[in-house]
Amino acid sequence: MLLAGCGGGDDNTPASSQQAAQTVTCADMSGKTVPAASIGLATGGASVTSATVVKATDAGNSNGEYCKVIGKITPAASAAAGTPDINFELNLPTAWNGKAVQMGGGGYNGTVVTGTTAVSFAPGSVPLAQGYATFGSDSGHTGNSATADFALNEAAINNFGFEHLKKTHDTAFALIKQFYAKSPDKSYFAGASTGGREGMTVVERFASDYDGVIANAPALNFSGVRLQGVKIGQAAYGTPGGYINTAKQKLILKTVLDNCDADDGATDGIVSNVAACRAKASTITAALRCPSGADTGDSCLSDAQLGTVAAIQDDLVLPYQLAYGVNRHQGYNILQGADFSGGLGLGTSATLLSPPTVAANGYLYAQGDGYLKYFVTKNPSLDSLHFDLNNPGQYQQRLVDLSATVGAMNPDISAYRSRGGKLIILHGLADEVISPNVTIAYYNAQVAKDGQSAVDSYIRFYNVPGMGHGDGTFVPAWDAMTALDKWVTQGTAPDVLVGTDTVTATSGRSRPLCRYPTYPRYKGSGSINVADSYACTAP
């Protein structure tokens, strides 16, 4: 059937019959508007700037036929001068399944999330191809992901933090109803990293809008991760000899694997039994240390370099509280298999650039430096190497306020649970950008507060050994949307899932995706490349 639009029927029209009553064409969507009164937060309304049919046979399209809607949400009249529009894309499939997925962004956003690709950190799950109407936005600014200078505009911070999510959701739903003449039967959110934070944000702030959420590698404690990045930079570049070069970055991983790879019963380059490996941290540190503590070459680490390892490994603990009483950012698994030698690791240069760059000076420090300059102090000339994290003086309240605006640490998600919402969280244990230990702590706090049975009724939490921030030794393809949709619509809660490796060198091997706190342990027989050869085991 050609994409002539959808219409007719009420909100209870079965998805399978919606196409038969279409009354609005894709071309008709161009110029459509959504009044400010239909959007739950203050805006100047929204408008569609273009609407075009993408045919199933178009080059590069594997999503079937759909109507591609491009639009913008303008700031409210009361917004500060210079506040950017929120640009969005909405995709309306001809073979609509009656449901919608809002897709999250990454980093500091700044580019429109098209909604035409797989769920982040879940390759193999492409909602548009599966029949979902999909949508996403640029979060209210364009570009600037490297320096975060969009944050000089306070309204843009609010949009990035949480407001764009509600504004885009309400706009998309109004347009979906105009096109199909009915609202979606189910509303989902899916994203990773910043998109994972956004997923947790809608659970915490806009619970009534979503039936299910996928939050992969969520940047829950956004302020904490940025401040820990500054701490790491201060250790690497503010301490003489603290920088760890690429050869030594690789040495750390090799030493960890030598000590911990076999702890799960299989020698496969993956540290699966992270708890057992953590118990060996002092042994690994001793093996890495240069005998005299001075730098004697690439076969060991000096005491200054081990200080940088500690800045990565240890929790950042602040003498004051951020939002929701949080005063800690849990450290990274650098001594348990996380690889900091890649493009999102510690960088390649012992020389600190001005401003720091991800490639030269490491992702965590470069992003932390930009956060202090643009979000916190509004001073692009700030010297972050000498910023006192423990005594930020006039900026302490600012840090507290920002941690509430841009973050998802609110422990109260009872409204989402009460409305029957379902939540799937997945985090790689070798993540070098967003520490999995923050997510683990948040989940454990939910269990301590509400009990395991209550948490099991609406949260599934998976840890993936060997998986970094979308990279690593094992990067699984898994069908996140099917798992979530079956839980929401059929009441079938996911248990152990199966992930198929997408890493080129090991493509096609499989592992069970185990629910926390279990990990995949080799049974002792069968191929180590097949999921059935592993059992999810408590550490």
Side-chain angles (χ1 to χ4, degrees):
M1 178 177 181
L2 293 178
L3 214 164
C6 294
D10 57 25
D11 284 2
N12 295 315
T13 303
S16 60
S17 66
Q18 287 160 13
Q19 295 177 48
Q22 292 178 346
T23 60
V24 177
T25 69
C26 184
D28 290 336
M29 293 300 291
S30 184
K32 291 285 188 183
T33 61
V34 177
S38 296
I39 301 172
L41 295 176
T43 73
S47 59
V48 174
T49 55
S50 69
T52 56
V53 174
V54 179
K55 297 180 180 179
T57 55
D58 284 355
N61 177 34
S62 58
N63 289 318
E65 186 177 83
Y66 63 94
C67 178
K68 176 181 177 179
V69 175
I70 302 295
K72 63 181 181 180
I73 306 166
T74 58
S78 59
T83 297
D85 295 334
I86 299 171
N87 298 294
F88 68 88
E89 179 172 332
L90 167 65
N91 307 298
L92 303 163
T94 303
W96 187 39
N97 67 8
K99 305 162 191 172
V101 182
Q102 183 172 4
M103 300 184 74
Y108 281 125
N109 291 331
T111 58
V112 174
V113 175
T114 66
T116 60
T117 59
V119 173
S120 294
F121 296 9
S125 187
V126 186
L128 181 56
Q130 294 170 303
Y132 294 90
T134 63
F135 58 96
S137 82
D138 63 2
S139 81
H141 64 273
T142 57
N144 312 312
S145 62
T147 63
D149 59 6
F150 75 89
L152 293 174
N153 182 298
E154 200 67 15
I157 291 180
N158 291 335
N159 274 330
F160 170 73
F162 66 95
E163 290 188 1
H164 84 97
L165 298 165
K166 177 65 173 172
K167 295 172 183 178
T168 305
H169 170 276
D170 289 359
T171 297
F173 267 51
L175 293 172
I176 288 170
K177 189 168 185 178
Q178 289 185 45
F179 188 69
Y180 294 117
K182 71 179 295 293
S183 298
D185 300 317
K186 297 297 179 185
S187 173
Y188 299 132
F189 190 99
S193 193
T194 284
R197 171 184 63 80
E198 291 170 341
M200 293 303 299
T201 297
V202 302
V203 166
E204 295 168 13
R205 290 182 180 267
F206 309 119
S208 62
D209 288 338
Y210 301 88
D211 300 289
V213 169
I214 296 163
N216 295 332
L220 296 170
N221 188 349
F222 193 87
S223 291
V225 68
R226 292 296 179 250
L227 296 182
Q228 182 134 20
V230 173
K231 174 186 172 184
I232 292 166
Q234 290 175 346
Y237 294 102
T239 302
Y243 173 72
I244 303 171
N245 67 25
T246 303
K248 296 191 180 198
Q249 295 166 19
K250 294 180 181 297
L251 175 66
I252 295 170
L253 179 60
K254 180 182 183 301
T255 304
V256 170
L257 290 174
D258 288 345
N259 281 271
C260 301
D261 187 357
D263 286 345
D264 59 358
T267 303
D268 55 2
I270 299 174
V271 176
S272 292
N273 191 346
V274 168
C277 192
R278 182 164 286 116
K280 300 177 182 179
S282 59
T283 299
I284 294 169
T285 300
L288 286 168
R289 184 177 184 268
C290 296
S292 66
D295 192 346
T296 56
D298 290 344
S299 63
C300 59
L301 272 64
S302 69
D303 285 347
Q305 291 160 348
L306 288 173
T308 300
V309 171
I312 300 166
Q313 170 78 14
D314 296 344
D315 294 358
L316 169 70
V317 182
L318 301 171
Y320 51 91
Q321 292 184 340
L322 301 176
Y324 307 110
V326 173
N327 73 333
R328 178 184 300 267
H329 180 268
Q330 287 75 13
Y332 294 79
N333 291 340
I334 189 172
L335 296 182
Q336 292 83 38
D339 183 3
F340 279 80
S341 68
L344 297 175
L346 294 178
T348 59
S349 178
T351 300
L352 179 60
L353 303 183
S354 182
T357 69
V358 171
N361 308 122
Y363 179 88
L364 290 173
Y365 179 48
Q367 296 286 52
D369 175 81
Y371 185 71
L372 286 185
K373 287 176 176 174
Y374 296 104
F375 277 78
V376 179
T377 68
K378 309 283 190 179
N379 177 12
S381 299
L382 177 78
D383 177 7
S384 62
L385 282 186
H386 294 95
F387 186 89
D388 190 340
L389 296 171
N390 287 331
N391 299 285
Q394 62 179 312
Y395 299 115
Q396 181 170 317
Q397 189 58 49
R398 176 68 175 166
L399 287 169
V400 174
D401 294 343
L402 283 170
S403 69
T405 302
V406 188
M409 291 297 292
N410 186 350
D412 183 5
I413 53 177
S414 58
Y416 188 70
R417 173 188 165 193
S418 296
R419 64 98 68 216
K422 306 302 182 186
L423 172 62
I424 296 176
I425 306 171
L426 177 140
H427 209 140
L429 288 170
D431 197 321
E432 74 277 37
V433 171
I434 304 299
S435 173
N437 297 311
V438 177
T439 311
I440 289 169
Y442 184 91
Y443 176 83
N444 283 339
Q446 293 298 318
V447 173
K449 177 168 62 75
D450 295 333
Q452 190 68 60
S453 178
V455 171
D456 285 348
S457 71
Y458 74 111
I459 300 177
R460 287 291 184 269
F461 178 31
Y462 298 89
N463 283 165
V464 184
M467 182 181 178
H469 203 68
D471 54 13
T473 310
F474 178 72
V475 182
W478 59 292
D479 191 349
M481 286 309 308
T482 297
L484 181 66
D485 187 54
K486 283 185 176 180
W487 196 6
V488 170
T489 62
Q490 301 175 23
T492 305
D495 192 38
V496 178
L497 302 173
V498 174
T500 303
D501 201 353
T502 61
V503 177
T504 301
T506 49
S507 179
R509 68 175 172 175
S510 60
R511 292 284 188 279
L513 302 181
C514 298
R515 291 174 56 192
Y516 174 84
T518 64
Y519 71 94
R521 183 172 183 84
Y522 181 56
K523 296 176 182 177
S525 62
S527 171
I528 65 169
N529 294 320
V530 177
D532 285 345
S533 301
Y534 295 80
C536 292
T537 305

